Amino acid sequence: MSLLEIESLSLTIGDTPILRNIELSVAPGEVMGLVGESGSGKSITALTVMQLLPYAARTTGRVAFDGIDILAASEDQMCALRGDDIGMVFQEPMTALNPVKTIGEQVAEGIRWHTGASRADAEERARKMLDRVGLPAAQFPLSRYPHELSGGQRQRVVIAIACALKPKLLIADEPTTALDVVLQAQILDLLRDLVAENRMGLLLISHDLAVVTEMADRITILRHGEVMEAGDTARTLSEQLHPYTRQLAQASMHVPARARTHEVGQGQPLLRVDSVTRDYPGRRTSLFKRSAPTRAVDNVSFSMTSGQSVALVGRSGCGKSTLARMILALDGPTSGTIRFRGQEITGKSEADLKSARRDMQVVFQDPYGSFDPRQKVERLVAEPLHVLEKKPDGAERREMVANALHEVGLSPRDMDKYPHEFSGGQRQRLSIARAIITRPKLVVADEPVSALDVSIRAQILDLFAELNQKLGIAYLFITHDLIVARAISDEVMVMHDGRIVERGKTSEVLDHPQSEAARALVGAAPDLHRAIARRLREQG
Amino acid sequence: MTLRLDMPEENLASILGKAFGNRSFLAGFAITALVAAVALVSFLWTPYDVTRLVIADKTQAPSLAHWFGTDHFGRDILSMIMVGARNSIAVALVAVGIGVGIGVPLGAFAAARGGLVDEALMRLNDLVFAFPALLSAIMITAIFGPGAVNAIIAIGIFNIPVFARVARAGALAIWQREFILAARAAGKGKTLITLEHVLPNIVTLLLVQGTIQFALGILAEAGLSYVGLGTQPPMPSWGRMLFDAQTRMVVAPWMAIFPGMAIVITVLGLNLLGDGIADILDPRSRRRR
Amino acid sequence: MPSVWTKQDSGPVTAMTAYLLKRLAIAFATLVLASMVVFAVLEIIPGDPARLMLGMNASADQVELLRNQMGLNAPLALRYLHWAGGLLSLDFGRSYTYSVPVIDLVRERVVVSLPLALIALALSTLIAIPVGLFSAGRHGRAGDTIAMGAAQLGVAVPNFWFALMLIYLFAVWLRLVPAGGFPGWGAGIWPALKALVLPAIALALPQAAILARVTRSALIEVLNEDYIRTARAKGLPYRAVLWRHALRNAMIPVLTILGLQFAFLLAGTIIIENVFYLPGLGRLVFQAITQRDLIVVESVVMLLVAAVIAVNLLVDLSYAVVDPRLRSRP
């Protein structure tokens, strides 16, 4: 007997169909993985079960939870279910908690509401629950406010809220997407343990096939609001019968073909970072005192040669983005020097930096935020031409933009469009077009594919690889994702607490990590091959 | 969930399309256009000459000859309201101009520079905000003499910190965006970035605040004229008409009702327009529908 | 079992003190600057106060003598310090026209203006917050549309015109309340309050309209936040979420507007007191301006500015009460 049973569920918002004939079930103690790319309707499916849909949504079909017809249930009935029998964990831990209430109040609130327990009793239960999710009383008293916790700790609080009353079903919507791999592994372990302890059903929603494979007994693959394939996880993914399943699986393990790779220490250094340190002033603790400054980057030295592709990997907050900003001369180091093409770029005026900027460009993570929404593509892509000695005239400029667009697989006709007319993947192509228009020697890319769906991600990685081969551009990839590092880089540097703790050939570092930090990253990174193999082994 | 709903970027066609679907905007636009048209027409034609006093016709109730009645000097109230519209709009518009012209550069500069410059400018803003605007406007006009020009200056001064604050807040949000980082990586300086990226992106914010301050300016001008410190007779103004009406409420209530309605309708129109613009351009407004 | 409130680290507490001290310092600096501005403005005004007091017939020697007596010939900085020192000890000097200490005039008038502003503020808040909650709870439905339509109209109404209409309706037509004037608190609480009812309503309703709109939009903004969904997922009904989670988070913009409105109400009394012939501070300052009684003008303006700064400080402090993030990040 299933705990949750969804039969031919369809949903429309206005005239737009969002879900079509969804079939899905979760048994007690079972983990059901719901996989799909953005816009596939995974989150809407979860919100349907919770009946927390947008006002205009219309549903047909049947959703039964524990014998209750959810689609027909009254709001009062749903309030009794939510938080008591069905718990939910959301994607964004930074915003999921009320900033003006203590974590104790927020965990105890649901307990008091559903059980009518006294404040003291509810607080005691909240305390136990927080202990259980790994937030011990000594460091995390109930009186803590959310802003005093890190992202991973906040997600633990959200899990504590969802599981406080031992629900029969837990819905986790991308619970680890906003966290780095090490935290992801910890949160997944916690969820797995809670499921086993309480015999909860878990509906795990994720875009990440590897995560779902590691966690789920069965999976359902969604695309454009329809179920593509569903079944036993190991079998579905090892056989890959459905073409879309195969496409997803291949895209998530995609490694672009690159003929030439560059070895460590070949040729003249293009970029040389010498004992660079960056401190941020400490938090003010009283009117006259500040705590000790935080050291974001700590005595980092390395060099890169032309055409080389280097990945800088590390957990979030390890200082990799700060380092990238200093290399791009957007921020100055507290001490140390950075040389680009043999010239020092630290402490230079914008005018003196012009020639360096010509050879050094950047691609950002967020394809939505990195373009001025009020400018057309022509102006956006042409922006770096600002650093040329001789400014191109209108016709020359259009010619250069057209070339750059062509090189990234877009049409010169796209020049007169606004950025919102492009999809996420196309925007990242625009980003790359903007970065290569001055024919730079180095492109720094900060998490360039982590906001993209896997199939788009594979295409963008191919593009990076192609431009590296064709134009000989060196890359410094900043990423927390080892799959990306493996796909695109010759060398890997592992950063931890502001220091570079390991450096070497990509395959060597990722296959045989030496430092503790590198081992933690590699161990925590979800890997589809490994996950499928383990599933098959377990099932014999 | 990775549904992307936060896209403020629109082209003109789709903005116009939404404008025609927005009731607030349409109503506000219609009313504002009507008031502006009335003000313009008053330059060329009014039913009666507002400078001629016809004592024989004094305090007549509304009739076909005088739709809104006449005042204690026998002047046609409708004609006076028409001329008063011109006056109100001119005062409020120039006052907004002063606020935008000085406040926006200050706010944008503070946001771009940050640090001590920002702090100093914001403290200066606090200082101006500490003076109740109307009280200070009364003081200024009383000291430098009553009249429309001094009223404009008095109202304008208090628009400066408002626009500075809005421009600064908007600009600070834009400076956090990644595309600013991209522009910096392209070697652009703070001034160029402010001109090319920051200001175009806060125009809508300023437009909304502009209509609000315009409406407040009309209210303020009416208030100043009402206490005798704004526009001076014989030039008709809505506030002054209300002052004249006050002592004659019992015998000629129309003298108070119609000028007041003119103020209410004008301010209402501007506020609706501002709401409409904010609605159309606010990316979140679509999520709600 | 210790309550959640008993455990407090020392960190946030010292940070809280730092925040408070910083706000206090800013308020004081603003007050000093404001006093300089007031002093400077009145310095550059044409007209000699001594000449004004003695009348046009006085000789130049007499005027000069009085100028010396009044300290008008002392250096600028000294005069400022003397004046500011006087303000601190509530010695505002003597009125040129009334020939009584300014403080006596102020004391007489403040008992009219302050109750009026407070009643109006209370009235505005008591109307606006429930309407804002009501509208946000019914966002987009008929009740919301009607309430916000009324608010939109309320914002557009000039308070002195509204006052005229109220007088016409309640005093002239229905004869329920006096059309103007103030019997004084000596005449008993009721007659005095009755005289303040219409002015308070005239001041309060347009402000309530603004506050209701701000409350509603702040609530709607907050209701779109992720943590509201978390609270809903706990099983709290919509109404409980509105009260327990949304309202407190929406308080910051509401408090900001409340602070601004106090300043506005203080100034608004100038005109409203004129409409209703109330012997308050507003009428005092207005008459003083027309009679060029500068010492009264500068004293009352300084008093009102100090009140505004104090209220802003209070608003800043209440931010810290509402939002724990401010307590740890000065």
Side-chain angles (χ1 to χ4, degrees):
Chain A
M1 161 77 191
S2 289
L3 181 63
L4 175 71
E5 211 152 338
I6 300 179
E7 284 167 15
S8 59
L9 170 69
S10 295
L11 185 146
T12 54
I13 293 180
D15 296 329
T16 321
I18 307 289
L19 300 177
R20 272 182 234 114
N21 285 323
I22 301 287
E23 307 274 337
L24 188 134
S25 69
V26 184
E30 181 191 45
V31 179
M32 162 56 89
L34 185 56
V35 187
E37 298 191 300
S38 53
S40 62
K42 342 182 263 296
S43 295
I44 289 284
T45 308
L47 293 176
T48 308
V49 176
M50 291 297 272
Q51 285 290 292
L52 289 176
L53 289 167
Y55 195 45
R58 297 282 169 269
T59 44
T60 59
R62 204 176 83 90
V63 178
F65 169 76
D66 211 13
I68 301 167
D69 182 356
I70 295 261
L71 294 186
S74 69
E75 177 60 19
D76 284 350
Q77 281 174 297
M78 282 316 298
C79 282
L81 284 182
R82 285 186 210 124
D84 195 0
D85 293 329
I86 312 176
M88 186 156 177
V89 176
F90 303 96
Q91 173 177 351
E92 203 29 86
M94 299 311 277
T95 53
L97 293 171
N98 188 337
V100 305
K101 286 183 172 251
T102 63
I103 59 172
E105 286 175 87
Q106 296 192 56
V107 178
E109 186 175 31
I111 300 173
R112 293 188 69 189
W113 186 262
H114 287 290
T115 64
S118 71
R119 187 192 191 97
D121 286 348
E123 276 174 11
E124 201 178 318
R125 289 184 67 176
R127 181 64 269 157
K128 280 192 187 133
M129 197 59 220
L130 286 171
D131 285 338
R132 175 60 197 91
V133 297
L135 300 174
Q139 292 151 270
F140 304 98
L142 296 177
S143 58
R144 283 259 188 243
Y145 284 99
H147 71 271
E148 297 168 308
L149 307 183
S150 70
Q153 289 161 355
R154 290 191 209 189
Q155 196 64 311
R156 287 172 192 272
V157 176
V158 175
I159 292 173
I161 292 174
C163 297
L165 292 165
K166 305 210 182 328
K168 294 174 184 158
L169 175 68
L170 181 66
I171 301 172
D173 186 0
E174 304 270 11
T176 57
T177 307
L179 306 173
D180 70 41
V181 284
V182 177
L183 286 174
Q184 166 165 288
Q186 292 170 2
I187 295 290
L188 292 178
D189 280 342
L190 174 62
L191 287 175
R192 210 181 336 234
D193 292 349
L194 287 169
V195 165
E197 271 167 38
N198 304 329
R199 249 185 86 70
M200 282 191 298
L202 172 63
L203 179 60
L204 177 69
I205 296 170
S206 178
H207 69 284
D208 190 332
L209 214 47
V211 164
V212 171
T213 308
E214 280 185 4
M215 294 285 294
D217 304 310
R218 291 189 300 132
I219 69 169
T220 300
I221 297 175
L222 278 190
R223 186 192 199 185
H224 303 321
E226 282 180 280
V227 175
M228 291 288 115
E229 191 174 8
D232 176 74
T233 307
R235 215 196 56 238
T236 309
L237 288 176
S238 55
E239 292 171 1
Q240 298 182 6
L241 290 177
H242 196 283
Y244 183 63
T245 309
R246 193 157 56 241
Q247 187 191 327
L248 267 187
Q250 282 172 352
S252 41
M253 291 180 294
H254 181 76
V255 174
R258 289 193 304 151
R260 282 176 296 148
T261 55
H262 293 260
E263 296 299 317
V264 184
Q266 268 178 346
Q268 282 295 307
L270 173 69
L271 174 74
R272 222 189 135 92
V273 175
D274 266 321
S275 27
V276 162
T277 293
R278 178 69 168 95
D279 291 338
Y280 286 108
R283 240 179 52 170
R284 198 189 285 257
T285 52
S286 74
L287 197 56
F288 307 106
K289 269 184 290 182
R290 281 178 183 282
S291 58
T294 15
R295 183 148 289 189
V297 173
D298 187 3
N299 197 19
V300 163
S301 303
F302 71 91
S303 63
M304 279 177 67
T305 54
S306 298
Q308 200 181 19
S309 175
V310 177
L312 181 61
V313 299
R315 301 184 52 182
S316 51
C318 72
K320 51 191 195 302
S321 289
T322 308
L323 181 58
R325 287 167 64 101
M326 289 191 290
I327 290 168
L328 288 164
L330 297 173
D331 189 6
T334 309
S335 66
T337 55
I338 298 171
R339 284 168 200 278
F340 181 63
R341 303 173 318 183
Q343 292 174 330
E344 197 170 325
I345 58 166
T346 39
K348 289 284 172 62
S349 76
E350 210 42 66
D352 293 336
L353 281 172
K354 267 196 170 178
S355 77
R357 292 224 185 276
R358 225 173 294 153
D359 285 340
M360 178 164 74
Q361 287 296 327
V362 58
V363 174
F364 292 106
Q365 168 178 2
D366 182 5
Y368 291 89
S370 55
F371 291 103
D372 185 339
R374 308 239 168 259
Q375 293 192 349
K376 286 185 180 172
V377 165
E378 182 190 344
R379 276 189 81 184
L380 290 170
V381 171
E383 185 149 50
L385 297 180
H386 178 74
V387 292
L388 295 189
E389 288 304 333
K390 186 183 143 301
K391 298 267 183 332
D393 63 32
E396 281 170 349
R397 193 169 85 155
R398 282 184 77 83
E399 172 83 28
M400 291 172 90
V401 172
N403 276 339
L405 289 176
H406 179 75
E407 269 161 342
V408 298
L410 293 172
S411 152
R413 279 189 313 250
D414 292 330
M415 219 180 311
D416 296 316
K417 291 186 185 164
Y418 284 94
H420 75 271
E421 297 173 65
F422 297 87
S423 69
Q426 286 174 321
R427 283 193 188 206
Q428 210 54 312
R429 288 180 191 269
L430 287 178
S431 229
I432 297 169
R434 172 170 64 186
I436 61 168
I437 196 168
T438 57
R439 290 283 175 269
K441 298 199 163 55
L442 171 68
V443 167
V444 178
D446 192 353
E447 303 276 7
V449 292
S450 59
L452 304 174
D453 280 325
V454 281
S455 52
I456 309 291
R457 164 191 304 211
Q459 294 166 13
I460 298 293
L461 288 176
D462 278 341
L463 176 61
F464 271 116
E466 181 199 326
L467 293 172
N468 171 250
Q469 298 293 305
K470 207 165 80 183
L471 307 175
I473 303 172
Y475 292 133
L476 180 62
F477 275 95
I478 319 288
T479 181
H480 71 280
D481 187 340
L482 299 187
I483 313 269
V484 172
R486 192 186 286 278
I488 197 74
S489 63
D490 308 317
E491 274 193 54
V492 165
M493 294 190 288
V494 180
M495 201 163 173
H496 185 68
D497 283 347
R499 294 166 177 273
I500 289 181
V501 292
E502 189 166 344
R503 174 171 194 182
K505 277 185 70 172
T506 301
S507 54
E508 271 163 32
V509 174
L510 296 189
D511 294 338
H512 309 287
Q514 300 299 311
S515 63
E516 202 180 315
R519 276 202 299 271
L521 274 176
V522 172
D527 183 298
L528 190 53
H529 281 305
R530 221 166 47 196
I532 296 174
R534 195 170 57 216
R535 281 261 162 223
L536 287 172
R537 231 184 6 256
E538 281 167 9
Q539 290 172 359
Chain B
M1 156 146 106
T2 42
L3 278 178
R4 285 286 176 172
L5 295 157
D6 51 337
M7 288 183 286
E9 43 272 36
E10 296 285 338
N11 54 12
L12 195 63
S14 80
I15 287 179
L16 281 181
K18 264 189 293 168
F20 282 101
N22 186 296
R23 275 179 301 173
S24 208
F25 178 85
L26 282 183
F29 186 79
I31 295 173
T32 308
L34 178 77
V35 175
V38 164
L40 286 178
V41 166
S42 78
F43 280 104
L44 302 173
W45 173 84
T46 51
Y48 292 87
D49 183 355
V50 294
T51 56
R52 257 190 57 208
L53 316 181
V54 187
I55 303 299
D57 287 344
K58 73 171 183 166
T59 55
Q60 284 193 3
S63 65
L64 276 181
H66 298 281
W67 288 8
F68 292 175
T70 63
D71 75 350
H72 55 297
F73 290 128
R75 290 176 296 184
D76 179 49
I77 298 219
L78 175 61
S79 305
M80 291 176 77
I81 287 179
M82 288 175 70
V83 178
R86 177 213 292 182
N87 180 54
S88 277
I89 289 175
V91 171
L93 203 59
V94 178
V96 168
I98 292 174
V100 171
I102 303 176
V104 172
L106 279 180
F109 180 67
R113 290 298 297 269
L116 277 178
V117 177
D118 184 28
E119 186 79 6
L121 277 169
M122 283 307 108
R123 293 290 79 82
L124 211 61
N125 248 357
D126 284 353
L127 178 63
V128 183
F129 272 122
F131 287 85
L134 194 62
L135 170 69
S136 313
I138 286 175
M139 229 170 70
I140 291 172
T141 43
I143 290 165
F144 297 102
V149 174
N150 284 344
I152 290 174
I153 294 171
I155 299 168
I157 286 178
F158 292 94
N159 277 337
I160 295 172
V162 173
F163 282 101
R165 199 173 264 204
V166 170
R168 173 179 176 271
L172 280 180
I174 299 296
W175 276 98
Q176 302 298 321
R177 302 274 296 269
E178 234 172 23
F179 65 78
I180 296 291
L181 222 50
R184 285 181 58 204
K188 291 190 172 166
K190 287 184 169 173
T191 318
L192 200 56
I193 289 177
T194 298
L195 290 176
E196 284 189 3
H197 293 292
V198 177
L199 288 180
N201 276 289
I202 62 171
V203 160
T204 54
L205 213 59
L206 297 173
L207 205 61
V208 171
Q209 195 63 41
T211 59
I212 293 172
Q213 294 309 117
F214 195 166
L216 288 177
I218 289 196
L219 285 175
E221 192 278 335
L224 283 179
S225 297
Y226 173 78
V227 294
L229 295 170
T231 314
Q232 295 301 300
M235 181 71 173
S237 79
W238 295 344
R240 185 75 202 178
M241 289 167 78
L242 288 177
F243 175 77
D244 291 335
Q246 187 178 350
T247 49
R248 301 175 179 85
M249 280 294 285
V250 183
V251 288
W254 56 87
M255 279 178 67
I257 290 170
F258 293 109
M261 301 259 287
I263 299 173
V264 172
I265 288 170
T266 308
V267 174
L268 184 67
L270 284 167
N271 283 338
L272 285 173
L273 188 64
D275 270 17
I277 296 173
D279 251 9
I280 293 166
L281 299 171
D282 179 3
R284 279 166 308 194
S285 66
R286 252 161 306 154
R287 184 171 357 179
R288 294 183 204 136
R289 267 134 233 253
Chain C
M1 176 74 205
S3 154
V4 282
W5 297 108
T6 48
K7 270 201 173 176
Q8 274 284 6
D9 318 21
S10 56
V13 172
T14 49
M16 172 86 166
T17 327
Y19 172 81
L20 295 186
L21 285 175
K22 186 180 174 197
R23 290 288 122 193
L24 207 61
I26 288 174
F28 183 73
T30 313
L31 191 61
V32 170
L33 278 175
S35 72
M36 288 179 179
V37 171
V38 169
F39 186 75
V41 166
L42 294 168
E43 273 301 309
I44 56 170
I45 289 176
D48 182 348
R51 162 74 63 189
L52 215 72
M53 277 177 88
L54 293 172
M56 283 303 134
N57 297 331
S59 71
D61 285 351
Q62 283 174 310
V63 172
E64 195 51 32
L65 193 70
L66 186 66
R67 283 184 62 86
N68 274 330
Q69 278 177 3
M70 289 170 73
L72 291 175
N73 287 340
L76 192 70
L78 226 108
R79 269 183 291 147
Y80 169 73
L81 286 178
H82 184 250
W83 175 73
L87 288 184
L88 284 180
S89 53
L90 287 181
D91 172 15
F92 296 129
R94 292 176 79 86
S95 156
Y96 307 150
T97 50
Y98 295 88
S99 288
V100 290
V102 175
I103 184 71
D104 291 347
L105 285 173
V106 167
R107 211 176 272 144
E108 216 170 84
R109 305 298 188 101
V110 88
V111 296
V112 180
S113 292
L114 193 62
L116 177 57
L118 288 179
I119 294 172
L121 194 66
L123 207 58
S124 146
T125 314
L126 287 179
I127 296 170
I129 306 277
V131 170
L133 271 166
F134 169 89
S135 261
R138 282 165 192 70
H139 183 200
R141 289 190 250 162
D144 175 32
T145 311
I146 292 168
M148 283 306 111
Q152 188 69 269
L153 199 64
V155 174
V157 173
N159 57 23
F160 56 92
W161 181 69
F162 187 48
L164 288 181
M165 294 295 117
L166 286 176
I167 292 175
Y168 189 63
L169 190 65
F170 290 102
V172 179
W173 243 34
L174 301 173
R175 298 183 181 282
L176 286 176
V177 282
F182 186 70
W185 293 100
I189 301 276
W190 269 121
L193 277 182
K194 234 173 142 179
L196 293 183
V197 169
L198 285 191
I201 293 175
L203 275 172
L205 278 193
Q207 296 303 303
I210 296 174
L211 194 59
R213 281 165 55 87
V214 171
T215 307
R216 170 184 178 269
S217 61
L219 278 170
I220 287 170
E221 183 111 327
V222 169
L223 285 171
N224 277 324
E225 297 281 348
D226 282 354
Y227 55 78
I228 295 297
R229 202 178 45 186
T230 309
R232 298 267 284 144
K234 266 182 222 175
L236 297 189
Y238 189 72
R239 201 138 298 201
V241 172
L242 195 65
W243 280 94
R244 291 172 181 221
H245 290 270
L247 189 59
R248 186 151 164 213
N249 278 289
M251 277 321 279
I252 288 208
V254 172
L255 284 169
T256 308
I257 297 296
L258 264 179
L260 288 178
Q261 288 202 333
F262 183 74
F264 197 88
L265 284 173
L266 278 179
T269 56
I270 298 177
I271 289 185
I272 288 296
E273 283 173 5
N274 269 309
V275 179
F276 288 94
Y277 303 107
L278 291 177
L281 280 180
R283 242 171 105 72
L284 177 66
V285 78
F286 185 69
Q287 283 164 348
I289 286 173
T290 46
Q291 292 161 356
R292 305 244 140 198
D293 194 345
L294 298 186
I295 199 116
V296 172
V297 176
E298 62 185 12
S299 307
V300 176
V301 169
M302 262 329 286
L303 207 64
L304 295 185
V305 167
V308 170
I309 291 174
V311 167
N312 284 343
L313 183 64
L314 212 63
V315 168
D316 278 343
L317 301 191
S318 53
Y319 287 163
V321 174
V322 170
D323 191 342
R325 287 167 293 186
L326 280 178
R327 276 174 253 159
S328 56
R329 180 168 19 105

